[in-house]
Amino acid sequence: MTPDLMEDGARRIAKIARPAPTGQTESGGRAAGFSRVAVPGAVDVAHGRILYLEDVHVSFDGFKAINGLNLDIAPGELRCIIGPNGAGKTTMMDIITGKTRPDQGTVFFGSTIDLLRHNEPEIASLGIGRKFQKPTVFEQLSVFENLELALKTHKGVPSSLFFRLDSAQQDRLAEVLHTIHLAASVRRMAGNLSHGQKQWLEIGMLLMQEPQLLLLDEPVAGMTDEETVRTAELFLTLKGKHSLMVVEHDMSFIRTISEKVTVLCDGAVLAEGTLDQVQGDERVIEVYLGR
Ligand code: ADP
Ligand code: MG
């Protein structure tokens, strides 16, 4: 890979890491209490929660996309979120990651970090990693280079060509490669990987940043059955070391990985419990069968 290409890749990641122009102004309480120092690893989970949402509301042109949402996730938990299209699942992730600002409500990471006082890159550096639906790996870089780049940009040295991984970082990269089942493909160009492998690589890029909470939006969409099974295995190995929030429509996948399932509908929690409990809930059946 040429230095130019490396620099170009790093610039593109740095650009992705910047908040998207949403038309929102950094006004009000957010700007006033803005914290520039985001300290990863400082999240306080002594009260038994890694993520806490209370009475969150968001309207888009008068339409209530999120309407009184409450959610509580324990450290190391793997929470599955299901719900019909338009329920507000992606918007909920947008709020947690700072992409969308709620009109009202409380959003805490651990018991001390008020996420509404942080912007999108700060929230990422605090230890919340997000995986969007489409893989966004750098196709012209190798698997190794993608993982290395994820670490570099996280460390805030996007333009350094002389950055070398220290031995702890090398160990981490090797561990991540093994976790995402790509150790045998380390030198392959990301563009030559299957769709499922690209998704795993992107999860690996998030893991390089050692997030405490991972948000995954429809991670097995478009995967083959075999890739879906391996993704379930992957998530089960991540559970405990990380907290995970997984939005997915594939019920057999949910059944394999789920403990507690939250059903979202009309921007609020409709039901919560095991998959069997929520699938047996009259209100959930009604929503899925159509009203
Ligand atoms: P889900 O992910 O559960 O399918 P979304 O969170 O994407 O649902 O969307 C919830 C609702 O909010 C939908 O009706 C969607 O059209 C609307 N919505 C989401 N984002 C915006 C936006 N930026 N502007 C206007 N409406 C939006
Ligand atoms: Mg969605």
Side-chain angles (χ1 to χ4, degrees), residues 86-106:
K89 304 181 295 294
T90 299
T91 305
M92 173 179 69
M93 289 191 172
D94 289 344
I95 292 167
I96 296 164
T97 55
K99 191 174 178 211
T100 295
R101 191 177 170 199
D103 304 323
Q104 182 191 320
T106 305

Side-chain angles (χ1 to χ4, degrees), residues 148 151-152 160-167 169-170:
E148 191 186 40
L151 187 66
K152 283 188 197 184
S160 171
L161 294 173
F162 304 105
F163 176 89
R164 291 259 182 279
L165 298 177
D166 64 28
S167 71
Q169 290 166 334
Q170 283 171 22

Side-chain angles (χ1 to χ4, degrees), residues 63-247:
F63 173 75
K64 294 183 176 182
I66 296 291
N67 192 12
L69 177 63
N70 299 307
L71 197 78
D72 206 332
I73 294 186
E77 185 180 345
L78 194 174
R79 176 70 62 89
C80 293
I81 312 280
I82 61 173
N85 284 332
K89 304 181 295 294
T90 299
T91 305
M92 173 179 69
M93 289 191 172
D94 289 344
I95 292 167
I96 296 164
T97 55
K99 191 174 178 211
T100 295
R101 191 177 170 199
D103 304 323
Q104 182 191 320
T106 305
V107 184
F108 266 74
F109 186 37
S111 48
T112 56
I113 301 171
D114 180 353
L115 289 177
L116 303 185
R117 296 173 83 92
H118 292 277
N119 64 21
E120 209 173 358
E122 286 170 349
I123 290 172
S125 69
L126 280 164
I128 299 183
R130 179 185 194 174
K131 161 97 190 63
F132 289 91
Q133 225 171 308
K134 283 190 183 145
T136 52
V137 297
F138 296 97
E139 304 250 330
Q140 69 280 51
L141 301 185
S142 70
V143 166
F144 180 90
E145 286 159 348
N146 268 281
L147 293 174
E148 191 186 40
L149 201 54
L151 187 66
K152 283 188 197 184
T153 48
H154 190 58
K155 295 285 172 198
V157 283
S159 61
S160 171
L161 294 173
F162 304 105
F163 176 89
R164 291 259 182 279
L165 298 177
D166 64 28
S167 71
Q169 290 166 334
Q170 283 171 22
D171 289 351
R172 171 119 201 101
L173 202 149
E175 187 194 330
V176 166
L177 271 171
H178 178 74
T179 305
I180 60 175
H181 306 297
L182 287 178
S185 306
V186 63
R187 297 287 164 205
R188 278 178 72 192
M189 291 258 285
N192 295 332
L193 299 174
S194 72
H195 170 75
Q197 288 174 319
K198 285 180 192 171
Q199 298 281 31
W200 298 335
L201 177 55
E202 196 183 358
I203 292 168
M205 291 169 77
L206 291 173
L207 292 176
M208 288 304 291
Q209 305 175 358
E210 304 187 68
Q212 276 164 290
L213 174 64
L214 272 166
L215 311 178
L216 302 124
D217 202 351
E218 304 192 25
V220 301
M223 281 192 184
T224 64
D225 289 349
E226 195 195 331
E227 287 171 340
T228 301
V229 169
R230 298 199 79 172
T231 305
E233 287 167 10
L234 167 60
F235 285 13
L236 290 171
T237 60
L238 296 178
K239 186 178 78 172
K241 286 179 235 163
H242 308 265
S243 308
L244 286 93
M245 180 194 277
V246 182
V247 166

